[in-house]
Amino acid sequence: MTKPITKPESSIEDPFLWLEDRTATQSLDWVHRQNEVTVGELQGDPSYQASFQTALDLMTAEDNIAVGSALKGHVYNFWQDKTNVLGLWRRTTVASYKTEKPEWETIIDFDQLAAKEGIKWVFSGASRLYPDFNLCLVSMSPDGGDASEMREFDIETKSFVDGGFRAPASKSGFGWLDKDTVIVSAAFEEADKTESGYPRVVKLWKRGARLEDATPIFEAQKEDLAVGAALEFDGDRRYLVLARTLDFFASHIFLRLPSGENKRLPLPDDMTDTAIFKDQLVFGVRSPWTAPDGTPCKPDGLYSVDFARWVETGALGPVETLLEPAYRVSIAGIARTQDRLFINLMDNVRGKVVVCERKEGGWSLKPVALPENGNVGISHAEQFGSSVSFSFTDFLTPSSIIWSDDDGETLATVKSQPARFDASPLISEQFEARSKDGTMIPYFVVRRRDQKGPVPTLLYGYGGFEVPLLPGYAGVRGRLWLEKGNAYVQACIRGGGEFGPAWHQAALKGNRQNGFDDFAAVAQDVVRRGIATASSLGIQGGSNGGLLTGVSLTQHPELFGAAIIEVPLLDMLRYTELPPGASWMAEYGDPSKPEDAAWLSAYSPYQHVDAGAAYPPVLLTTSTADDRVHPGHARKMAARLQEAGHARTLFFEETEGGHGGRGDRRPQAAQTAMKYVFLQRALTAKA
């Protein structure tokens, strides 16, 4: 029997509001007490230590693939292992990278830097100066969160530049305009920030000047999501492109002219998959648009206009069709080398890549000869050269890197991860479940080929922000879950990006319940097929997927035997009050508007905790330093569940690392092991 969805009493005062204070003594005392209970129970399990060691060994294995991107004869890579806990930013030559044991040159040793400065710096990336790429603007986070400090670094001297560009930790962005000018998307002072806490003003910062004296050249509105800026290269042409991001799915794009004018590009707000290539601006759309010349532009297609002509004349000119949409084929991304454009496609959640050339004023396309029936991705494409690499994996095939030095013509597998578990008894299958409104929802199952009856099964989902869930090899999951005879299910529910914008929009804002219904339908179909019973089926999801599992818990507790809710959104009536929650209103809606509040309150898990419901065991996890999804969501949900008498609710908060758990692998391995211990205990003997 499905629990009826009722509107909660929003007038009831929130008794756990105090847990939203991230670092208050009272909050952290509560966190430490919760952690003590959870650690005692899960790390005290006899199977924990071996699981932790396995997870750590696999996460830090020296024969993991060093994924890298090529730039001017070098391949750059960030690497962590048992010795290099915080990691090495390093490089090697392209020729050396292709060998079994490349000779790496360390650029920055973050463990050494942390020892020297007393801060556990987490590498967040670097912007390198064209054309030598030796001067860098290095971003690094002091706590693993999104806010990062920036420092100028010289690769040749292996040192930070004395008196060079430097900015304190913030959510600002940095890129080079030239050797003596940095483009700053600023989010330092409150006046510089949007309501979401992201950059609102683009400034030009001259060498030797104070950061606060940088010259503003572009601004967004306070209620916008963010601004961004980048110097784009197309052959000999350079363009300073400015973006006013209205929300997650809409932007106004401007070009900075030599006169100082910011000229807006007359294309749709919901443009996506853009690239400037061979004087053309390539773009896709999220909703149908008819170009001024009458060309119909459809979602999941790619189109182009003569960008150089528009810059010179102001006339948009004719729109060309580069790629026609096809049923259940969506665009996963595009990337370019100097002479070719690569389109990564998903065909019924299976990957392929098409390469495009621009010749004599027209487009030519052909497939890249990559393996089929797996997850194919573009690992890197060298914009100033001709190297490109691709990744290939599926649930049972270890990842490999396929490399080309000639724009995808000649391909060679240069890296293959060793097998991490015995896949020989396993099978990977794709099924479909019929959702409540009749929509067919694809999902993958990985299990033993000779499975005779229901087994403990983990169902994973996400369903938001156009993000697809694709097949992928996971050694830890293989060793700690599949090798024990358990099954794994991955659901491609609406809200995600598996089938392009329409699939996402079908669970947007007031349609969110569709995605939740899809997940429930997959759970029921898994049971109907005899893969699991309801009590042997566990669910897991993080971030937006944490919202999914939170809703699943409160709407359908009868469908599951355990729930893992990771770094979640759960109080959807207050999510915009917890930074940067306001940035997601295009996805979920605005709880300050009565119409939006009605659909949010209909499913918001925090308000729907029921003392009389029979909830399965629950494990909620979060991070103190998470500055993307506030830890208050998980804290308050755990407190409310426990207060309502649901004693099988465990809570764990990592005190280091941000939303993605970056930094030291040991706490990541510990948390992973605890989750598998939790699932095994909750689901075993219930099949």
Side-chain angles (χ1 to χ4, degrees), residues 349-664:
V349 206
R350 288 173 169 83
K352 59 185 181 183
V353 177
V354 176
V355 60
C356 315
E357 285 187 279
R358 180 86 181 164
K359 287 183 178 176
E360 298 168 4
W363 292 103
S364 65
L365 287 75
K366 65 178 181 180
V368 180
L370 293 165
E372 297 180 350
N373 296 321
N375 177 9
V376 174
I378 302 170
S379 283
H380 97 282
E382 187 178 6
Q383 186 175 345
F384 305 103
S386 58
S387 76
V388 59
S389 63
F390 309 93
S391 59
F392 179 81
T393 185
D394 60 34
F395 290 113
L396 302 177
T397 306
S399 304
S400 59
I401 298 292
I402 302 165
W403 191 278
S404 172
D405 288 314
D406 55 6
D407 287 317
E409 290 294 326
T410 309
L411 300 165
T413 299
V414 296
K415 302 287 173 195
S416 295
Q417 184 175 300
R420 301 305 193 197
F421 59 91
D422 182 7
S424 60
L426 303 175
I427 188 172
S428 173
E429 302 162 290
Q430 190 177 23
F431 298 117
E432 287 189 324
R434 186 178 299 278
S435 194
K436 190 174 183 179
D437 65 357
T439 302
M440 300 308 292
I441 310 301
Y443 67 94
F444 293 97
V445 178
V446 186
R447 56 175 172 165
R448 286 187 65 89
R449 190 179 278 100
D450 61 357
Q451 182 184 340
K452 295 293 190 289
V455 296
T457 299
L458 172 58
L459 167 60
Y460 189 87
Y462 184 77
F465 295 94
E466 297 184 338
V467 175
L469 285 187
L470 305 173
Y473 189 84
V476 174
R477 182 175 65 225
R479 287 281 292 282
L480 299 187
W481 190 247
L482 295 172
E483 279 196 347
K484 295 186 163 129
N486 303 323
Y488 174 74
V489 178
Q490 192 162 286
C492 304
I493 66 174
R494 283 174 288 181
E498 288 84 358
F499 301 114
W503 194 252
H504 166 246
Q505 291 156 13
L508 199 63
K509 292 188 173 179
N511 294 323
R512 201 95 202 152
Q513 187 60 44
N514 284 338
F516 306 141
D517 290 344
D518 295 351
F519 199 61
V522 171
Q524 290 165 323
D525 203 59
V526 166
V527 170
R528 184 182 64 79
R529 291 179 188 275
I531 297 165
T533 62
S535 60
S536 77
L537 181 63
I539 55 173
Q540 181 180 16
S543 196
N544 174 75
L547 171 62
L548 170 67
T549 49
V551 171
S552 299
L553 176 75
T554 52
Q555 288 187 2
H556 291 287
E558 77 287 354
L559 294 184
F560 314 107
I564 297 178
I565 303 173
E566 305 168 299
V567 290
L569 289 94
L570 294 166
D571 185 349
M572 298 307 290
L573 301 184
R574 273 188 60 76
Y575 85 92
T576 54
E577 306 299 316
L578 300 172
S583 66
W584 307 319
M585 286 193 288
E587 180 80 13
Y588 301 119
D590 182 354
S592 70
K593 295 178 179 176
E595 180 191 354
D596 295 15
W599 72 58
L600 287 163
S601 63
Y603 71 75
S604 181
Y606 181 62
Q607 283 77 18
H608 283 281
V609 172
D610 182 353
Y615 295 137
V618 182
L619 173 62
L620 293 115
T621 67
T622 187
S623 167
T624 312
D626 191 340
D627 51 3
R628 202 174 312 166
V629 178
H630 196 285
H633 286 278
R635 291 175 179 179
K636 294 199 308 177
M637 186 73 171
R640 176 157 276 182
L641 282 164
Q642 290 169 354
E643 183 197 47
H646 301 291
R648 296 184 298 173
T649 300
L650 295 174
F651 173 90
F652 182 79
E653 181 168 319
E654 190 54 69
T655 52
E656 292 181 8
H659 187 64
R662 300 183 303 154
D664 191 339

Side-chain angles (χ1 to χ4, degrees), residues 142-193:
D143 58 10
D146 289 348
S148 295
E149 181 174 308
M150 184 279 287
R151 297 187 206 173
E152 186 178 0
F153 187 88
D154 188 332
I155 291 180
E156 285 299 302
T157 63
K158 304 287 195 303
S159 62
F160 291 106
V161 176
D162 192 27
F165 290 105
R166 182 168 180 169
S170 71
K171 291 189 178 182
S172 303
F174 304 91
W176 292 103
L177 183 63
D178 56 49
K179 185 178 179 181
D180 294 314
T181 314
V182 169
I183 311 161
V184 184
S185 302
F188 299 104
E189 309 299 326
E190 281 307 310
D192 288 342
K193 298 177 184 177

Side-chain angles (χ1 to χ4, degrees), residues 166-403:
R166 182 168 180 169
S170 71
K171 291 189 178 182
S172 303
F174 304 91
W176 292 103
L177 183 63
D178 56 49
K179 185 178 179 181
D180 294 314
T181 314
V182 169
I183 311 161
V184 184
S185 302
F188 299 104
E189 309 299 326
E190 281 307 310
D192 288 342
K193 298 177 184 177
T194 63
E195 289 174 358
S196 300
Y198 291 111
R200 191 188 67 81
V201 185
V202 175
K203 303 178 181 183
L204 296 183
W205 182 15
K206 291 290 185 183
R207 188 177 295 280
R210 299 188 311 161
L211 176 57
E212 48 266 41
D213 294 332
T215 306
I217 62 165
F218 186 69
E219 294 189 13
Q221 300 298 313
K222 198 78 174 168
E223 61 270 21
D224 291 342
L225 173 56
V227 293
L231 190 64
E232 297 286 348
F233 294 82
D234 186 28
D236 295 331
R237 300 177 189 260
R238 301 185 192 191
Y239 303 104
L240 178 50
V241 178
L242 307 165
R244 178 188 163 200
T245 305
L246 310 180
D247 56 46
F248 255 87
F249 314 109
S251 297
H252 292 169
I253 308 298
F254 296 79
L255 181 67
R256 178 80 171 176
L257 301 180
S259 65
E261 178 193 351
N262 298 326
K263 182 179 179 182
R264 186 175 165 197
L265 189 64
L267 287 172
D269 291 358
D270 65 354
M271 199 167 54
T272 181
D273 297 313
T274 58
I276 301 172
F277 176 73
K278 299 288 185 181
D279 291 337
Q280 297 284 303
L281 177 72
V282 176
F283 67 96
V285 291
R286 290 185 170 93
S287 52
W289 178 69
T290 302
D293 70 345
T295 301
C297 300
K298 304 169 189 172
D300 301 316
L302 277 179
Y303 306 90
S304 76
V305 293
D306 191 329
F307 186 67
R309 174 184 167 182
W310 174 76
V311 171
E312 290 164 13
T313 68
L316 192 62
V319 172
E320 296 180 50
T321 299
L322 195 163
L323 182 77
E324 288 279 7
Y327 177 69
R328 286 217 161 176
V329 176
S330 60
I331 299 164
I334 61 176
R336 58 158 300 181
T337 58
Q338 193 163 286
D339 294 317
R340 292 191 179 177
L341 184 72
F342 294 85
I343 308 170
N344 194 177
L345 298 172
M346 287 180 295
D347 187 346
N348 202 25
V349 206
R350 288 173 169 83
K352 59 185 181 183
V353 177
V354 176
V355 60
C356 315
E357 285 187 279
R358 180 86 181 164
K359 287 183 178 176
E360 298 168 4
W363 292 103
S364 65
L365 287 75
K366 65 178 181 180
V368 180
L370 293 165
E372 297 180 350
N373 296 321
N375 177 9
V376 174
I378 302 170
S379 283
H380 97 282
E382 187 178 6
Q383 186 175 345
F384 305 103
S386 58
S387 76
V388 59
S389 63
F390 309 93
S391 59
F392 179 81
T393 185
D394 60 34
F395 290 113
L396 302 177
T397 306
S399 304
S400 59
I401 298 292
I402 302 165
W403 191 278

